[in-house]
Structures are given as C-alpha cells and as structure tokens.
Amino acid sequence: MSHRPRVFVARRIPDEGLGAIVAACEVDIWEDELPPPRHELLRHVAGCDGILTLLTDGVDDALLDAAGPSLRVVSNYAVGVDNIDIAACGRRGIAVGNTPGALTETTADLAWALMLAASRRVAEGDRYVRAGNWRTWGPMLLLGSDVHGSTLGIVGFGRIGQAVARRATGFGMTVLYHSRGRAAASVEAELGATWVGLDELLERSDIVTLHVSLTTETRGLIDATALARMKPTAVLVNTARGPVVDAVALATALRSGVIAAAALDVTDPEPIAVDDPLLSLDNCLVVPHIASASRATRGRMAAMAAANLLAGVRGEPLPTPVVAEGANDARRG
Ligand code: DGY
C-alpha cells in the first residue's frame, strides 16, 4: 500500500515492538494504564488498517463494524485469544495473530513460583512476619506440604503445560497430565508424564496446575464437583484463565478444607474485587495476571505482535496467525 497504514495500539507496549510500528504506520496509541472504555475503543479503531489489542480488549462484530472495511488485521499482545471472536474475523477475512511460544518458559516459571509458594505458605509467612507475629522458631509454625516427591497433575499439555512438566524432573515428582489428545510417546517419555483422565488426575495429584485455553469446554472445568475429587491436602494453581475455575466453589472449598490451598494468577473477573471472598482466605494466594511479566518476555511478545500487525496491514501472511478452529490447549504457550 502506498499510504502509511493507520493502526490503533490499545496500550503502550515495549519498544521492541512499538518502535517498528511507529516507524511504519500512522499510530494512535492508547496511553492510559487502564484499557480504553468500550466507546473509546470503538471510536479509535474507526478507519484503521490494523489494531493491536490486549486480552482486556474485546473484539467482536460490533468492534469490526466500528473499524470498517479497511481493517485487515487484529494482532493480540497475548497467546490467549479468548477476547477475540475469531470466527467473526474469519468471516470478514481479517487476519488474527497472537504470541505463541514467547511466554512459555516465563509462564511456567510463575506456575512453579505459585506451586511452591502455596505449598510452603510463603505469602502467609510474609504476612505473619510483617504483622509482628514472629516471636520464635515454632515446631508447628506454618506447616505446609512438600513439593519434591509429590504428584503433579497438569491439566492442558500444550507448550506451557509441558514446560511445567519439564521443571518437575528436578523435584522428583510423579507427573500426570490430562489433555484432549495425548502427547507423542516421545514427549511423554522425555517428560516422564503419564496421561490420565481428568477425574483420576484430580484424585491422585498433590498439586493441580491449569494450562488450558478458555473455551466453552473449559469454562467452569474446575467446579465444586471437580474440587471435591481433589485431596484435602491438595493445592490448585491457575495461570490459565480465571473462568476455568468456579470462583464461588473455590472459595467454599478453601474455607471448608475440601482442598488445602490455591494460588491464582488469573481470576474471574479481573481485576478481582478487593472484597472478594477469596481475598479473605489465608490459604488463597492471588497475583495480578503476571505470568508473562518478565522484561525479556514482554519485549519478545511486543516484537511478535508488531510483526503480525505489520504483516497484516501489508496484506502478507502473519508470522504467527491464529487458526480459525476453536481454541484448544495445544495452542497454549
Ligand atoms: C496470554 O498471553 O494469554 C497471557 O495471559 C498474558 O500474557
């Protein structure tokens, strides 16, 4: 195209990506820390050739209508694309890109941080010290559960789930996984991971960690029934998407000792309300959706999102397109 493409970038992203976009396009950047309100989003995308969205920006028919016929690409600054109506984009021939691979290891690191922190009550210990409660070494003080030698249950065995499994080798764990399809035998052998049905995974695991995309199938996957299958000593970790877990059922399970603890990077809704019952529970650790938040990874995500955006506005194939088929756990990571 001869004119500089018009693009809307829905938040300031790292220079590793923004630089290339600014160099090649007429760019409108939403500078606020908070997402553009819906009416602003619709206003800003009007007449754009491309838009760079975050997981907080819903892309649906109304937004595509507001953007108009010039729109060629939606580039999501995330691997998850549950904020985007992929089919609606597909019907209009609008390409969609995401950032697979860029955040796999960083997300797996955070899943491990949460597994360790919840099992060994790290956040509770920190609160205890800061509250001035630490008076002596105590034989029964803040007893948790061992991570080494325990059984790890991984729900969703795409890139991130497998990266979590890889780290378990050093902890001498038994690794179970559940996903719609089985991993290749070579992957199972390399990671020492065994496929089991979801019920068996929930019943046998000391730690259950979630790595599925949010789809109609996985929404509410961990509900009261699923939680009841888990061990009373078990820890649940969610770095996937908040709605995969029924938050009300989780609060009840944590309060009544159905499971021992949970650690959440994602909640439903986000942000979690400060008076949400989960935040009143000492055995629930919550961090604000930071699984991919290392400087290096956010830079890589920016570069990938920019590459998708620029290819899309030029009418070229995206380096990392989202396939139109419904999201599945193999795409995570
Ligand atoms: C994603 O990419 O889907 C994460 O949730 C945010 O990095």
PDB file of all heavy atoms in Angstrom, residues 4-13 17-31 44 48 50 52 309-310:
ATOM      1  N   ARG A   4       0.795   5.360   4.488  1.00  0.00           N
ATOM      2  CA  ARG A   4       1.196   4.697   5.743  1.00  0.00           C
ATOM      3  C   ARG A   4      -0.064   4.127   6.393  1.00  0.00           C
ATOM      4  O   ARG A   4      -1.051   4.861   6.600  1.00  0.00           O
ATOM      5  CB  ARG A   4       1.867   5.721   6.671  1.00  0.00           C
ATOM      6  CG  ARG A   4       3.325   5.965   6.295  1.00  0.00           C
ATOM      7  CD  ARG A   4       3.829   7.238   6.916  1.00  0.00           C
ATOM      8  NE  ARG A   4       3.931   7.194   8.369  1.00  0.00           N
ATOM      9  CZ  ARG A   4       4.943   6.680   9.046  1.00  0.00           C
ATOM     10  NH1 ARG A   4       5.950   6.126   8.394  1.00  0.00           N
ATOM     11  NH2 ARG A   4       4.980   6.720  10.349  1.00  0.00           N
ATOM     12  N   PRO A   5      -0.052   2.860   6.724  1.00  0.00           N
ATOM     13  CA  PRO A   5      -1.250   2.264   7.305  1.00  0.00           C
ATOM     14  C   PRO A   5      -1.612   2.924   8.633  1.00  0.00           C
ATOM     15  O   PRO A   5      -0.724   3.343   9.381  1.00  0.00           O
ATOM     16  CB  PRO A   5      -0.855   0.812   7.536  1.00  0.00           C
ATOM     17  CG  PRO A   5       0.506   0.639   7.013  1.00  0.00           C
ATOM     18  CD  PRO A   5       1.048   1.927   6.535  1.00  0.00           C
ATOM     19  N   ARG A   6      -2.906   3.009   8.881  1.00  0.00           N
ATOM     20  CA  ARG A   6      -3.379   3.554  10.166  1.00  0.00           C
ATOM     21  C   ARG A   6      -3.604   2.408  11.135  1.00  0.00           C
ATOM     22  O   ARG A   6      -4.316   1.450  10.806  1.00  0.00           O
ATOM     23  CB  ARG A   6      -4.709   4.290   9.962  1.00  0.00           C
ATOM     24  CG  ARG A   6      -4.552   5.685   9.404  1.00  0.00           C
ATOM     25  CD  ARG A   6      -5.898   6.376   9.386  1.00  0.00           C
ATOM     26  NE  ARG A   6      -6.506   6.428  10.713  1.00  0.00           N
ATOM     27  CZ  ARG A   6      -7.786   6.728  10.934  1.00  0.00           C
ATOM     28  NH1 ARG A   6      -8.592   6.962   9.912  1.00  0.00           N
ATOM     29  NH2 ARG A   6      -8.256   6.785  12.163  1.00  0.00           N
ATOM     30  N   VAL A   7      -3.005   2.520  12.297  1.00  0.00           N
ATOM     31  CA  VAL A   7      -3.210   1.456  13.285  1.00  0.00           C
ATOM     32  C   VAL A   7      -3.536   2.047  14.644  1.00  0.00           C
ATOM     33  O   VAL A   7      -3.107   3.159  14.975  1.00  0.00           O
ATOM     34  CB  VAL A   7      -1.973   0.522  13.412  1.00  0.00           C
ATOM     35  CG1 VAL A   7      -1.648  -0.155  12.084  1.00  0.00           C
ATOM     36  CG2 VAL A   7      -0.758   1.252  13.945  1.00  0.00           C
ATOM     37  N   PHE A   8      -4.312   1.278  15.412  1.00  0.00           N
ATOM     38  CA  PHE A   8      -4.584   1.636  16.802  1.00  0.00           C
ATOM     39  C   PHE A   8      -3.886   0.608  17.683  1.00  0.00           C
ATOM     40  O   PHE A   8      -4.038  -0.603  17.490  1.00  0.00           O
ATOM     41  CB  PHE A   8      -6.093   1.634  17.077  1.00  0.00           C
ATOM     42  CG  PHE A   8      -6.426   1.931  18.518  1.00  0.00           C
ATOM     43  CD1 PHE A   8      -6.062   3.137  19.099  1.00  0.00           C
ATOM     44  CD2 PHE A   8      -7.108   0.999  19.300  1.00  0.00           C
ATOM     45  CE1 PHE A   8      -6.355   3.419  20.435  1.00  0.00           C
ATOM     46  CE2 PHE A   8      -7.409   1.269  20.637  1.00  0.00           C
ATOM     47  CZ  PHE A   8      -7.029   2.482  21.199  1.00  0.00           C
ATOM     48  N   VAL A   9      -3.110   1.105  18.636  1.00  0.00           N
ATOM     49  CA  VAL A   9      -2.390   0.237  19.577  1.00  0.00           C
ATOM     50  C   VAL A   9      -3.019   0.483  20.948  1.00  0.00           C
ATOM     51  O   VAL A   9      -2.942   1.592  21.483  1.00  0.00           O
ATOM     52  CB  VAL A   9      -0.880   0.557  19.563  1.00  0.00           C
ATOM     53  CG1 VAL A   9      -0.144  -0.293  20.598  1.00  0.00           C
ATOM     54  CG2 VAL A   9      -0.300   0.324  18.166  1.00  0.00           C
ATOM     55  N   ALA A  10      -3.641  -0.552  21.487  1.00  0.00           N
ATOM     56  CA  ALA A  10      -4.556  -0.349  22.623  1.00  0.00           C
ATOM     57  C   ALA A  10      -3.877  -0.149  23.976  1.00  0.00           C
ATOM     58  O   ALA A  10      -4.562   0.001  24.986  1.00  0.00           O
ATOM     59  CB  ALA A  10      -5.544  -1.508  22.709  1.00  0.00           C
ATOM     60  N   ARG A  11      -2.566  -0.154  24.019  1.00  0.00           N
ATOM     61  CA  ARG A  11      -1.799   0.247  25.208  1.00  0.00           C
ATOM     62  C   ARG A  11      -0.353   0.424  24.804  1.00  0.00           C
ATOM     63  O   ARG A  11       0.102  -0.165  23.804  1.00  0.00           O
ATOM     64  CB  ARG A  11      -1.865  -0.811  26.321  1.00  0.00           C
ATOM     65  CG  ARG A  11      -2.132  -0.201  27.705  1.00  0.00           C
ATOM     66  CD  ARG A  11      -3.623   0.081  27.938  1.00  0.00           C
ATOM     67  NE  ARG A  11      -4.291  -1.096  28.464  1.00  0.00           N
ATOM     68  CZ  ARG A  11      -5.136  -1.841  27.743  1.00  0.00           C
ATOM     69  NH1 ARG A  11      -5.419  -1.535  26.489  1.00  0.00           N
ATOM     70  NH2 ARG A  11      -5.712  -2.880  28.297  1.00  0.00           N
ATOM     71  N   ARG A  12       0.417   1.168  25.572  1.00  0.00           N
ATOM     72  CA  ARG A  12       1.844   1.295  25.254  1.00  0.00           C
ATOM     73  C   ARG A  12       2.512  -0.045  25.542  1.00  0.00           C
ATOM     74  O   ARG A  12       2.433  -0.556  26.651  1.00  0.00           O
ATOM     75  CB  ARG A  12       2.477   2.425  26.075  1.00  0.00           C
ATOM     76  CG  ARG A  12       3.946   2.642  25.801  1.00  0.00           C
ATOM     77  CD  ARG A  12       4.413   4.009  26.247  1.00  0.00           C
ATOM     78  NE  ARG A  12       3.952   5.065  25.344  1.00  0.00           N
ATOM     79  CZ  ARG A  12       4.590   5.446  24.239  1.00  0.00           C
ATOM     80  NH1 ARG A  12       5.712   4.860  23.866  1.00  0.00           N
ATOM     81  NH2 ARG A  12       4.101   6.407  23.480  1.00  0.00           N
ATOM     82  N   ILE A  13       3.148  -0.619  24.535  1.00  0.00           N
ATOM     83  CA  ILE A  13       3.843  -1.899  24.703  1.00  0.00           C
ATOM     84  C   ILE A  13       5.351  -1.627  24.611  1.00  0.00           C
ATOM     85  O   ILE A  13       5.760  -0.535  24.205  1.00  0.00           O
ATOM     86  CB  ILE A  13       3.395  -2.929  23.628  1.00  0.00           C
ATOM     87  CG1 ILE A  13       3.693  -2.413  22.218  1.00  0.00           C
ATOM     88  CG2 ILE A  13       1.919  -3.283  23.794  1.00  0.00           C
ATOM     89  CD1 ILE A  13       3.561  -3.477  21.127  1.00  0.00           C
ATOM     90  N   GLY A  17       8.638  -3.764  20.116  1.00  0.00           N
ATOM     91  CA  GLY A  17       7.606  -3.873  19.082  1.00  0.00           C
ATOM     92  C   GLY A  17       7.111  -2.514  18.643  1.00  0.00           C
ATOM     93  O   GLY A  17       6.890  -2.270  17.454  1.00  0.00           O
ATOM     94  N   LEU A  18       6.980  -1.627  19.591  1.00  0.00           N
ATOM     95  CA  LEU A  18       6.371  -0.332  19.273  1.00  0.00           C
ATOM     96  C   LEU A  18       7.213   0.457  18.269  1.00  0.00           C
ATOM     97  O   LEU A  18       6.679   1.129  17.378  1.00  0.00           O
ATOM     98  CB  LEU A  18       6.182   0.471  20.569  1.00  0.00           C
ATOM     99  CG  LEU A  18       5.201   1.620  20.493  1.00  0.00           C
ATOM    100  CD1 LEU A  18       3.827   1.149  20.031  1.00  0.00           C
ATOM    101  CD2 LEU A  18       5.084   2.314  21.851  1.00  0.00           C
ATOM    102  N   GLY A  19       8.542   0.324  18.413  1.00  0.00           N
ATOM    103  CA  GLY A  19       9.442   1.070  17.526  1.00  0.00           C
ATOM    104  C   GLY A  19       9.144   0.788  16.060  1.00  0.00           C
ATOM    105  O   GLY A  19       9.011   1.718  15.246  1.00  0.00           O
ATOM    106  N   ALA A  20       9.016  -0.482  15.726  1.00  0.00           N
ATOM    107  CA  ALA A  20       8.792  -0.863  14.320  1.00  0.00           C
ATOM    108  C   ALA A  20       7.421  -0.383  13.846  1.00  0.00           C
ATOM    109  O   ALA A  20       7.252   0.018  12.690  1.00  0.00           O
ATOM    110  CB  ALA A  20       8.888  -2.381  14.190  1.00  0.00           C
ATOM    111  N   ILE A  21       6.446  -0.389  14.747  1.00  0.00           N
ATOM    112  CA  ILE A  21       5.097   0.049  14.357  1.00  0.00           C
ATOM    113  C   ILE A  21       5.102   1.546  14.079  1.00  0.00           C
ATOM    114  O   ILE A  21       4.572   2.013  13.058  1.00  0.00           O
ATOM    115  CB  ILE A  21       4.073  -0.299  15.471  1.00  0.00           C
ATOM    116  CG1 ILE A  21       4.022  -1.816  15.704  1.00  0.00           C
ATOM    117  CG2 ILE A  21       2.693   0.233  15.117  1.00  0.00           C
ATOM    118  CD1 ILE A  21       3.182  -2.242  16.910  1.00  0.00           C
ATOM    119  N   VAL A  22       5.730   2.289  14.972  1.00  0.00           N
ATOM    120  CA  VAL A  22       5.772   3.754  14.815  1.00  0.00           C
ATOM    121  C   VAL A  22       6.528   4.127  13.538  1.00  0.00           C
ATOM    122  O   VAL A  22       6.159   5.063  12.828  1.00  0.00           O
ATOM    123  CB  VAL A  22       6.412   4.401  16.076  1.00  0.00           C
ATOM    124  CG1 VAL A  22       6.709   5.863  15.846  1.00  0.00           C
ATOM    125  CG2 VAL A  22       5.498   4.215  17.281  1.00  0.00           C
ATOM    126  N   ALA A  23       7.571   3.357  13.233  1.00  0.00           N
ATOM    127  CA  ALA A  23       8.369   3.661  12.033  1.00  0.00           C
ATOM    128  C   ALA A  23       7.567   3.446  10.750  1.00  0.00           C
ATOM    129  O   ALA A  23       7.794   4.124   9.748  1.00  0.00           O
ATOM    130  CB  ALA A  23       9.622   2.788  12.018  1.00  0.00           C
ATOM    131  N   ALA A  24       6.610   2.520  10.790  1.00  0.00           N
ATOM    132  CA  ALA A  24       5.952   2.126   9.531  1.00  0.00           C
ATOM    133  C   ALA A  24       4.519   2.632   9.392  1.00  0.00           C
ATOM    134  O   ALA A  24       3.950   2.589   8.300  1.00  0.00           O
ATOM    135  CB  ALA A  24       5.954   0.598   9.428  1.00  0.00           C
ATOM    136  N   CYS A  25       3.929   3.112  10.475  1.00  0.00           N
ATOM    137  CA  CYS A  25       2.480   3.380  10.436  1.00  0.00           C
ATOM    138  C   CYS A  25       2.129   4.744  11.022  1.00  0.00           C
ATOM    139  O   CYS A  25       2.916   5.336  11.765  1.00  0.00           O
ATOM    140  CB  CYS A  25       1.726   2.324  11.255  1.00  0.00           C
ATOM    141  SG  CYS A  25       2.062   0.624  10.804  1.00  0.00           S
ATOM    142  N   GLU A  26       0.910   5.189  10.716  1.00  0.00           N
ATOM    143  CA  GLU A  26       0.290   6.295  11.459  1.00  0.00           C
ATOM    144  C   GLU A  26      -0.314   5.658  12.697  1.00  0.00           C
ATOM    145  O   GLU A  26      -1.260   4.881  12.589  1.00  0.00           O
ATOM    146  CB  GLU A  26      -0.838   6.939  10.642  1.00  0.00           C
ATOM    147  CG  GLU A  26      -0.386   7.680   9.410  1.00  0.00           C
ATOM    148  CD  GLU A  26       0.614   8.779   9.741  1.00  0.00           C
ATOM    149  OE1 GLU A  26       0.447   9.448  10.792  1.00  0.00           O
ATOM    150  OE2 GLU A  26       1.577   8.936   8.972  1.00  0.00           O
ATOM    151  N   VAL A  27       0.258   5.957  13.851  1.00  0.00           N
ATOM    152  CA  VAL A  27      -0.115   5.188  15.048  1.00  0.00           C
ATOM    153  C   VAL A  27      -0.902   6.034  16.046  1.00  0.00           C
ATOM    154  O   VAL A  27      -0.510   7.152  16.370  1.00  0.00           O
ATOM    155  CB  VAL A  27       1.140   4.656  15.781  1.00  0.00           C
ATOM    156  CG1 VAL A  27       0.726   3.658  16.876  1.00  0.00           C
ATOM    157  CG2 VAL A  27       2.095   4.007  14.827  1.00  0.00           C
ATOM    158  N   ASP A  28      -1.984   5.461  16.512  1.00  0.00           N
ATOM    159  CA  ASP A  28      -2.758   6.044  17.605  1.00  0.00           C
ATOM    160  C   ASP A  28      -2.560   5.092  18.788  1.00  0.00           C
ATOM    161  O   ASP A  28      -2.970   3.931  18.729  1.00  0.00           O
ATOM    162  CB  ASP A  28      -4.232   6.094  17.153  1.00  0.00           C
ATOM    163  CG  ASP A  28      -5.172   6.570  18.256  1.00  0.00           C
ATOM    164  OD1 ASP A  28      -4.680   7.042  19.303  1.00  0.00           O
ATOM    165  OD2 ASP A  28      -6.401   6.459  18.049  1.00  0.00           O
ATOM    166  N   ILE A  29      -1.875   5.576  19.835  1.00  0.00           N
ATOM    167  CA  ILE A  29      -1.604   4.709  20.989  1.00  0.00           C
ATOM    168  C   ILE A  29      -2.493   5.131  22.155  1.00  0.00           C
ATOM    169  O   ILE A  29      -2.557   6.322  22.484  1.00  0.00           O
ATOM    170  CB  ILE A  29      -0.133   4.810  21.440  1.00  0.00           C
ATOM    171  CG1 ILE A  29       0.811   4.469  20.290  1.00  0.00           C
ATOM    172  CG2 ILE A  29       0.138   3.889  22.635  1.00  0.00           C
ATOM    173  CD1 ILE A  29       2.277   4.717  20.610  1.00  0.00           C
ATOM    174  N   TRP A  30      -3.156   4.182  22.774  1.00  0.00           N
ATOM    175  CA  TRP A  30      -3.939   4.464  23.986  1.00  0.00           C
ATOM    176  C   TRP A  30      -2.943   4.515  25.148  1.00  0.00           C
ATOM    177  O   TRP A  30      -2.372   3.491  25.536  1.00  0.00           O
ATOM    178  CB  TRP A  30      -4.993   3.380  24.210  1.00  0.00           C
ATOM    179  CG  TRP A  30      -5.871   3.667  25.391  1.00  0.00           C
ATOM    180  CD1 TRP A  30      -5.768   3.125  26.640  1.00  0.00           C
ATOM    181  CD2 TRP A  30      -6.965   4.575  25.436  1.00  0.00           C
ATOM    182  NE1 TRP A  30      -6.732   3.644  27.461  1.00  0.00           N
ATOM    183  CE2 TRP A  30      -7.490   4.543  26.745  1.00  0.00           C
ATOM    184  CE3 TRP A  30      -7.554   5.420  24.488  1.00  0.00           C
ATOM    185  CZ2 TRP A  30      -8.572   5.318  27.135  1.00  0.00           C
ATOM    186  CZ3 TRP A  30      -8.642   6.192  24.878  1.00  0.00           C
ATOM    187  CH2 TRP A  30      -9.134   6.143  26.184  1.00  0.00           C
ATOM    188  N   GLU A  31      -2.716   5.698  25.697  1.00  0.00           N
ATOM    189  CA  GLU A  31      -1.623   5.890  26.653  1.00  0.00           C
ATOM    190  C   GLU A  31      -1.995   5.559  28.092  1.00  0.00           C
ATOM    191  O   GLU A  31      -1.133   5.412  28.936  1.00  0.00           O
ATOM    192  CB  GLU A  31      -1.114   7.348  26.594  1.00  0.00           C
ATOM    193  CG  GLU A  31      -0.438   7.707  25.277  1.00  0.00           C
ATOM    194  CD  GLU A  31       0.968   7.096  25.148  1.00  0.00           C
ATOM    195  OE1 GLU A  31       1.414   6.421  26.106  1.00  0.00           O
ATOM    196  OE2 GLU A  31       1.584   7.279  24.086  1.00  0.00           O
ATOM    197  N   HIS A  44     -11.753   4.734  18.442  1.00  0.00           N
ATOM    198  CA  HIS A  44     -10.355   4.783  17.994  1.00  0.00           C
ATOM    199  C   HIS A  44     -10.051   3.809  16.856  1.00  0.00           C
ATOM    200  O   HIS A  44      -9.108   4.038  16.099  1.00  0.00           O
ATOM    201  CB  HIS A  44      -9.409   4.542  19.171  1.00  0.00           C
ATOM    202  CG  HIS A  44      -9.226   5.757  20.037  1.00  0.00           C
ATOM    203  ND1 HIS A  44      -8.150   6.614  19.933  1.00  0.00           N
ATOM    204  CD2 HIS A  44     -10.016   6.269  21.004  1.00  0.00           C
ATOM    205  CE1 HIS A  44      -8.279   7.592  20.815  1.00  0.00           C
ATOM    206  NE2 HIS A  44      -9.405   7.405  21.486  1.00  0.00           N
ATOM    207  N   CYS A  48      -9.246   2.142  10.794  1.00  0.00           N
ATOM    208  CA  CYS A  48      -7.890   1.587  10.919  1.00  0.00           C
ATOM    209  C   CYS A  48      -7.668   0.431   9.941  1.00  0.00           C
ATOM    210  O   CYS A  48      -8.580  -0.306   9.597  1.00  0.00           O
ATOM    211  CB  CYS A  48      -7.659   1.076  12.343  1.00  0.00           C
ATOM    212  SG  CYS A  48      -7.293   2.392  13.502  1.00  0.00           S
ATOM    213  N   GLY A  50      -5.173  -1.727  10.883  1.00  0.00           N
ATOM    214  CA  GLY A  50      -4.799  -2.787  11.828  1.00  0.00           C
ATOM    215  C   GLY A  50      -5.000  -2.317  13.250  1.00  0.00           C
ATOM    216  O   GLY A  50      -4.943  -1.121  13.534  1.00  0.00           O
ATOM    217  N   LEU A  52      -3.852  -3.402  17.388  1.00  0.00           N
ATOM    218  CA  LEU A  52      -3.099  -4.248  18.305  1.00  0.00           C
ATOM    219  C   LEU A  52      -3.840  -4.235  19.633  1.00  0.00           C
ATOM    220  O   LEU A  52      -3.995  -3.180  20.252  1.00  0.00           O
ATOM    221  CB  LEU A  52      -1.667  -3.732  18.452  1.00  0.00           C
ATOM    222  CG  LEU A  52      -0.723  -4.670  19.226  1.00  0.00           C
ATOM    223  CD1 LEU A  52       0.690  -4.585  18.664  1.00  0.00           C
ATOM    224  CD2 LEU A  52      -0.723  -4.377  20.706  1.00  0.00           C
ATOM    225  N   LEU A 309       1.163  -7.463  13.211  1.00  0.00           N
ATOM    226  CA  LEU A 309       0.411  -6.269  12.802  1.00  0.00           C
ATOM    227  C   LEU A 309       0.923  -5.747  11.462  1.00  0.00           C
ATOM    228  O   LEU A 309       0.130  -5.457  10.545  1.00  0.00           O
ATOM    229  CB  LEU A 309       0.549  -5.186  13.884  1.00  0.00           C
ATOM    230  CG  LEU A 309      -0.256  -3.922  13.664  1.00  0.00           C
ATOM    231  CD1 LEU A 309      -1.742  -4.193  13.915  1.00  0.00           C
ATOM    232  CD2 LEU A 309       0.219  -2.784  14.581  1.00  0.00           C
ATOM    233  N   LEU A 310       2.252  -5.654  11.350  1.00  0.00           N
ATOM    234  CA  LEU A 310       2.826  -5.067  10.127  1.00  0.00           C
ATOM    235  C   LEU A 310       2.607  -5.980   8.920  1.00  0.00           C
ATOM    236  O   LEU A 310       2.289  -5.511   7.829  1.00  0.00           O
ATOM    237  CB  LEU A 310       4.320  -4.774  10.335  1.00  0.00           C
ATOM    238  CG  LEU A 310       4.594  -3.684  11.392  1.00  0.00           C
ATOM    239  CD1 LEU A 310       6.085  -3.478  11.597  1.00  0.00           C
ATOM    240  CD2 LEU A 310       3.915  -2.365  11.018  1.00  0.00           C
TER     241      LEU A 310
END
